[in-house]
């Protein structure tokens, strides 16, 4: 019985340690992502509010979410806008405030994106 108990405790301890290591790795990735977003955001010449206004104006919808696009090498905002029951992902240049791209959320996951014209708003 004692041997089974020891095996159980060893397995439990191993699980706890592995979970702790995973949490530390996840926290490290989160801090790196946040640092990149802050670095990009410091380059912005427009506010997040300005990016939301540009996205809403371009699509004619209402913004439901907005954030810094940390997958870009330049400052861009990604704004999710709802229009006609569909979610549109709008990329806005953080320097100029121009809308760079509008795509439907479903299509963007499949890689079929609709490029918008670079228009001054």
């Amino acid at each position: 019985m004692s041997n089974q108990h020891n095996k159980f405790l060893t397995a439990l301890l191993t699980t706890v340690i592995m979970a702790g290591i995973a949490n530390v790795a996840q926290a490290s990735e989160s801090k790196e992502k946040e640092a990149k977003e802050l670095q990009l955001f410091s380059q912005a010449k427009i506010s997040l509010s300005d990016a939301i206004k540009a996205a809403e104006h371009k699509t004619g919808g209402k913004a439901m979410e907005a954030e810094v696009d940390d997958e870009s090498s330049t400052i861009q905002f990604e704004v999710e806008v709802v229009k006609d029951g569909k979610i549109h992902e709008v990329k806005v240049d953080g320097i100029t405030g121009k809308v760079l791209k509008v795509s439907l959320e479903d299509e963007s996951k499949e890689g079929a994106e609709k490029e918008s014209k670079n228009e001054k708003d």
Side-chain angles (χ1 to χ4, degrees):
M1 223 21 146
S2 179
N3 194 19
Q4 276 186 319
H5 184 68
N6 286 342
K7 286 181 182 180
F8 174 76
L9 287 178
T10 301
L12 180 62
L13 182 58
T14 301
T15 302
V16 169
I17 290 171
M18 292 182 75
I21 291 170
N23 285 341
V24 168
Q26 187 177 21
S28 177
E29 288 175 14
S30 178
K31 287 185 184 239
E32 288 175 18
K33 180 180 177 182
E34 186 176 294
K36 182 177 180 184
E37 287 177 350
L38 287 172
Q39 188 268 333
L40 286 170
F41 191 74
S42 69
Q43 299 171 11
K45 301 292 185 209
I46 66 167
S47 68
L48 186 59
S49 295
D50 292 335
I52 291 169
K53 288 176 190 172
E56 287 179 335
H57 179 74
K58 182 72 173 179
T59 62
K62 292 287 263 177
M64 63 180 247
E65 186 176 318
E67 64 186 2
V68 171
D69 180 7
D70 63 350
E71 294 177 7
S72 174
S73 59
T74 61
I75 179 63
Q76 292 180 11
F77 294 103
E78 183 175 291
V79 184
E80 289 187 2
V81 179
V82 177
K83 182 176 181 193
D84 299 329
K86 295 180 182 177
I87 299 173
H88 301 266
E89 290 184 0
V90 182
K91 301 272 182 159
V92 179
D93 187 291
I95 305 293
T96 65
K98 290 182 181 179
V99 172
L100 302 172
K101 183 183 352 179
V102 178
S103 59
L104 287 174
E105 188 173 70
D106 319 352
E107 292 178 346
S108 67
K109 291 178 182 165
E110 298 170 4
E113 297 178 341
K114 296 179 183 176
E115 296 288 331
S116 68
K117 295 178 185 173
N118 288 332
E119 298 178 54
K120 290 186 179 179
D121 291 325

